[in-house]
Amino acid sequence: MSLRVAVQMDPIERINIAGDSTFALMLEAQARGHSLLVYTPERLTQTAEGVFAAMRPAEVRDVAGDHVTLGEERRVSLGDETDVVLLRQDPPFDMAYVTTTHMLERVHPRTLVVNDPAEVRNAPEKIFVLDFPELMPPTIVTRDKAEIAAFRAEHGDIVVKPLYGNGGAAVFRVTADDLNYGSLIDLFSTTFREPWMVQKFLPKVAAGDKRILLVDGVFAGAVNRVPAVGDLRANMVRGGAAQTTEITPREQEICARIGPELSRRGLLFVGIDVIDGNLTEINVTSPTGVRAIKRLGGPDVAAITWDAIEGKRSRAAA
């Protein structure tokens, strides 16, 4: 079965293929004989007739600096000329992002959008996780300075981060006696209109922030990300080092608890973050980790993902 696969992503010419999960998914799709089309979200158009985008055929190869050949651009109907859309552009999860989910919702599930655009919209990564408070460290989402001060007084060291950020950007640890606390709160107040996520600091983040990937609600692979010396953040784009890992009984419990809900929502490809047995985020937009897991000898998560996608398309066609 050859599928016509459109990929909604940031400009493919600019990606770092060494760690890009979208690129790994594209390589696997091409190896299976599926055709690839790429477009950026601003090229989407909705009319009374349907949803269209200016797309370019793509041929990908695992060669840094020469990883893609793009064909001639043409206007493509997502509902009539594609079988699968990979919704893979990076946050920020702003109104532009939300608008693309409304547009893609018009073609799903006739064209399978991964992940389900309505559920991506309804599951902001730092809010959706609050559906599972028993798995999390103490957490609040607010802009209220009094609430944050009370939370800090209760828990001491805290972490403050923007609600719709990504890649570890603007993540701060504030200790119980940090004199920068007031300035940081003022900075967040003027920079971010949305509430912020505030969590109890977990000291064992120094031993790693584990990225666990689930495909259709089932554990598919994991990588431990260890922060660089002098940094709080374990994100690999911030210098975190990838290490092999096994999942613990507690992490298996977390996967078993959230997996059925991910599958029910059509969130087929998801990355969760776990620190010292605490679930901190559920990433549904463009989670990374596929290439690092395979490079370190773990499962081929791209292949597992395409097995799931092909299975869904086959069942839909039957």
Side-chain angles (χ1 to χ4, degrees):
M1 173 179 56
S2 178
L3 299 174
R4 300 164 298 177
V5 179
V7 188
Q8 180 171 309
M9 62 186 299
D10 300 306
I12 191 170
E13 304 93 324
R14 303 178 194 170
I15 65 173
N16 177 4
I17 67 170
D20 194 279
S21 290
T22 304
F23 191 72
L25 293 170
M26 294 175 71
L27 285 170
E28 179 65 22
Q30 182 175 272
R32 294 178 179 227
H34 306 318
S35 60
L36 296 170
L37 294 158
V38 296
Y39 69 98
T40 53
E42 66 270 13
R43 303 308 302 277
L44 275 172
T45 300
Q46 182 176 339
T47 72
E49 287 73 41
V51 179
F52 304 86
M55 302 188 191
R56 300 181 72 179
E59 179 184 332
V60 292
R61 51 196 164 272
D62 202 2
V63 180
D66 184 28
H67 60 275
V68 64
T69 298
L70 297 173
E72 202 68 32
E73 182 178 277
R74 69 180 184 91
R75 188 174 188 259
V76 175
S77 166
L78 277 73
D80 297 321
E81 299 179 81
T82 67
D83 302 301
V84 177
V85 174
L86 299 182
L87 173 54
R88 291 289 305 175
Q89 89 253 25
D90 288 338
F93 192 81
D94 53 14
M95 286 308 298
Y97 206 121
V98 167
T99 301
T100 69
T101 67
H102 283 290
M103 297 168 81
L104 292 176
E105 191 178 0
R106 301 287 180 172
V107 304
H108 178 80
R110 176 182 171 187
T111 294
L112 177 65
V113 182
V114 179
N115 290 318
D116 182 318
E119 294 300 339
V120 168
R121 184 175 67 246
N122 292 337
E125 295 166 339
K126 294 181 180 68
I127 294 180
F128 180 30
V129 69
L130 293 168
D131 285 6
F132 308 96
E134 73 280 9
L135 305 178
M136 298 182 63
T139 301
I140 60 172
V141 174
T142 187
R143 287 176 56 91
D144 189 300
K145 295 179 182 180
E147 289 282 350
I148 298 170
F151 185 86
R152 183 182 182 223
E154 178 181 358
H155 297 290
D157 286 9
I158 61 173
V159 173
V160 183
K161 48 190 170 182
L163 196 59
Y164 297 116
N166 72 303
V171 175
F172 291 89
R173 174 191 177 185
V174 184
T175 61
D177 58 354
D178 195 329
L179 297 180
N180 291 308
Y181 170 75
S183 295
L184 177 66
I185 296 302
D186 288 345
L187 177 64
F188 268 56
S189 296
T190 56
T191 305
F192 303 109
R193 295 182 58 211
E194 303 84 6
W196 323 313
M197 173 174 266
V198 184
Q199 291 183 318
K200 179 180 178 180
F201 174 68
L202 301 173
K204 289 190 177 180
V205 69
D209 179 348
K210 195 171 292 187
R211 164 56 54 87
I212 299 173
L213 296 178
L214 297 95
V215 174
D216 204 14
V218 177
F219 169 78
V223 61
N224 195 39
R225 304 169 300 172
V226 179
V229 175
D231 203 333
L232 163 71
R233 303 163 300 175
N235 310 73
M236 287 180 279
V237 296
R238 304 293 174 188
Q243 296 180 345
T244 57
T245 189
E246 301 291 334
I247 65 167
T248 66
R250 168 62 171 175
E251 291 159 353
Q252 293 173 357
E253 175 191 344
I254 290 171
C255 292
R257 172 73 176 85
I258 70 174
E261 182 65 10
L262 299 179
S263 181
R264 186 190 71 79
R265 289 179 176 234
L267 296 170
L268 189 144
F269 183 76
V270 172
I272 65 172
D273 296 337
V274 180
I275 301 172
D276 190 26
N278 292 275
L279 178 66
T280 59
E281 291 190 20
I282 301 175
N283 299 279
V284 304
T285 50
S286 58
T288 60
V290 172
R291 305 215 80 182
I293 291 168
K294 186 176 181 181
R295 185 174 65 250
L296 292 169
D300 187 341
V301 180
I304 295 169
T305 303
W306 276 105
D307 287 345
I309 292 172
E310 290 172 350
K312 286 183 178 295
R313 287 299 313 176
S314 294
R315 291 190 291 274

